[in-house]
Amino acid sequence: MDCRQTDSLPSQDRIPDVLGHLRHLPRPVYGQERALPNQAIARPHRHPWVQFSYALQGVIEVRTRDGRFMAPPQQAVWVPATIEHGVRCSPDALIRSLYIEPSVLKNAPAECKVVAVNSLLRELIRSFSALPVLYGEHGPESRLVAVLLDELAAAPDSGLILPWPRDERLQALCSSLQSEPGSQTRLYDFAARYDVSEKTLTRLFRQETGLSFRAWRQRLRIMSALPLLERQERVTDVALACGYDSMSAFVASFRELMGETPGEFLRAAASSNAGL
């Protein structure tokens, strides 16, 4: 199922049906290829099961009160049960979300996190999505689900989170930067806009996000680059769009956060898309 726009939503009259349909999972793990969970619901919502948000292609962003969690095809987002969240995706993203009863997980996540998806886990998700909703609870299908759960539990944390502040002034600041990641607006300019000292804003920013303003903006820029790179846009164009005036600075920042260069990311994304 394709996600055709960043804030893709079912029509308003279908949203209650989506949530009601999933009030009780038909099996401990749910998320077949044509199931409703494979739509991105941007409106804040919650449910009593764990969600594993993954895209075979494109980029998924999960938003909670505490942060923005972005996952390209080699990564996915865990959303704990009862956590309010919204899901957005890049154009033409192909979603394979899994909804899981917490009781069947060895270690149900206590907070949202982004994890790495290796080739085995990717193929298990693809295979599971082709099973019927009421897959067999004994035999080959149940064994596939058991292996899938083991691999999900073992997926390593990649730390790809953009912490989100609670302070209203910082929320406005961060929303402004997220809408225009290439902006060169300085912290001094924001301090003047909100009528506080730059020192106060610096202290508040670290207190609320755990990062300096510079580190937070660098992370935002790299995370904003992911959907552009996944669409195979030129690395130079992506660097400029995200506020970098040199390729070397962009490559260094990208490698620091992602553990690979933009070129390596592009090749991995092309390889993933080729398998669809």
Side-chain angles (χ1 to χ4, degrees):
M1 187 174 297
D2 291 341
C3 180
R4 296 296 180 184
Q5 58 184 1
T6 302
D7 291 342
S8 177
L9 271 171
S11 62
Q12 289 299 311
D13 60 337
R14 289 187 59 197
I15 289 175
D17 293 337
V18 171
L19 300 179
H21 178 73
L22 294 174
R23 199 168 302 281
H24 301 286
L25 300 184
R27 285 290 188 266
V29 184
Y30 178 60
Q32 280 62 35
E33 181 175 355
R34 300 187 182 281
L36 290 173
N38 292 318
Q39 296 182 12
I41 302 176
R43 192 184 76 173
H45 62 284
R46 66 180 78 211
H47 36 68
W49 49 81
V50 177
Q51 180 173 332
F52 187 83
S53 290
Y54 176 67
L56 293 173
Q57 71 178 35
V59 176
I60 285 178
E61 181 187 357
V62 174
R63 295 187 177 189
T64 71
R65 184 176 65 171
D66 296 323
R68 304 293 186 260
F69 304 81
M70 187 170 286
Q74 297 80 35
Q75 303 188 45
V77 185
W78 278 110
V79 183
T82 74
I83 294 292
E84 187 173 77
H85 65 284
V87 182
R88 291 167 166 79
C89 63
S90 60
D92 299 321
L94 194 62
I95 301 176
R96 293 291 182 270
S97 287
L98 304 177
Y99 286 177
I100 308 167
E101 292 285 358
S103 61
V104 302
L105 287 170
K106 292 181 178 178
N107 295 293
E111 56 187 24
C112 279
K113 61 179 179 178
V114 180
V115 298
V117 174
N118 61 25
S119 57
L120 173 58
L121 180 53
R122 173 185 170 89
E123 291 309 312
L124 285 168
I125 294 171
R126 287 165 60 96
S127 296
F128 175 77
S129 71
L131 296 181
V133 171
L134 296 177
Y135 56 81
E137 296 187 276
H138 305 282
E141 294 175 347
S142 67
R143 290 195 291 273
L144 185 149
V145 173
V147 176
L148 171 61
L149 289 172
D150 285 342
E151 289 299 313
L152 288 171
D157 193 337
S158 63
L160 198 57
I161 172 180
L162 188 68
W164 206 255
R166 304 286 181 89
D167 182 89
E168 291 184 358
R169 293 164 298 181
L170 292 188
Q171 287 184 354
L173 183 160
C174 292
S175 294
S176 173
L177 290 177
Q178 188 174 42
S179 66
E180 191 179 354
S183 168
Q184 298 298 328
T185 305
R186 302 166 299 170
L187 187 61
Y188 171 85
D189 299 318
F190 284 113
R193 181 183 303 177
Y194 301 123
D195 195 26
V196 296
S197 69
E198 185 175 0
K199 183 177 180 180
T200 296
L201 208 55
T202 297
R203 175 182 51 79
L204 188 59
F205 207 94
R206 185 174 290 279
Q207 177 182 315
E208 294 259 330
T209 69
L211 297 171
S212 68
F213 172 74
R214 180 179 181 278
W216 189 94
R217 179 148 71 174
Q218 291 284 69
R219 188 174 296 191
L220 166 69
R221 286 174 168 173
I222 297 304
M223 291 174 66
S224 299
L226 296 180
L228 306 180
L229 290 171
E230 210 276 332
R231 293 202 299 267
Q232 301 292 306
E233 296 191 15
R234 293 175 63 241
V235 176
T236 302
D237 294 339
V238 174
L240 291 173
C242 293
Y244 291 91
D245 55 10
S246 75
M247 275 296 298
S248 59
F250 176 59
V251 170
S253 295
F254 195 94
R255 181 187 282 121
E256 181 180 3
L257 181 62
M258 301 297 297
E260 60 184 346
T261 67
E264 291 168 339
F265 177 88
L266 278 168
R267 288 189 289 274
S271 177
S272 295
N273 291 341
L276 298 177

